[in-house]
């Protein structure tokens, strides 16, 4: 696990390859995707959204869906993922 813009990030494969971004469900973690992501080809990345897994938030702070989306977008941009992005979700 690495950190990008404060988010815990789980990466597999080369960043030069086409990317697949995995999203966890409510109260999940990017690590939930490891059994699925590890054997797949390409660059696979999963994030712990704020307040989930190893990505902290301030106690008693409010998080909106918009803030979760902006946090994810910020991390994707920091990793320079520009092509082949497919987003999947598990609940």
């Amino acid at each position: 696990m690495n950190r990008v813009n404060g988010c815990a990030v789980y990466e597999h494969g080369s960043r030069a390859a086409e990317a697949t971004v995995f999203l966890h469900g409510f109260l999940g973690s990017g690590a939930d995707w490891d059994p699925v992501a590890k054997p797949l080809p390409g660059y696979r990345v999963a994030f712990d959204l704020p307040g989930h897994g190893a990505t902290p938030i301030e106690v008693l702070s409010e998080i909106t869906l918009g803030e979760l989306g902006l946090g994810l977008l910020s991390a994707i941009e920091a990793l320079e993922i520009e092509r082949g992005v497919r987003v999947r979700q598990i609940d």
Side-chain angles (χ1 to χ4, degrees):
M1 179 194 72
N2 298 313
R3 289 204 176 274
V4 173
N5 290 355
C7 285
V9 178
Y10 305 84
E11 299 177 273
H12 306 284
S14 169
R15 289 186 185 179
E18 183 174 89
T20 302
V21 177
F22 294 91
L23 294 179
H24 60 76
F26 185 65
L27 298 180
S29 164
D32 296 344
W33 282 106
D34 276 353
V36 174
K38 283 183 180 180
L40 295 176
Y43 175 56
R44 291 91 59 214
V45 60
F47 302 90
D48 285 350
L49 295 173
H52 295 79
T55 302
I57 58 169
E58 291 185 31
V59 176
L60 301 178
S61 67
E62 288 187 32
I63 291 202
T64 66
L65 288 178
E67 289 170 335
L68 291 176
L70 288 173
L72 177 63
L73 179 60
S74 173
I76 287 172
E77 288 175 345
L79 290 173
E80 298 179 357
I81 298 173
E82 296 178 359
R83 63 181 182 84
V85 176
R86 293 170 288 202
V87 179
R88 314 224 193 259
Q89 182 179 2
I90 187 170
D91 287 322

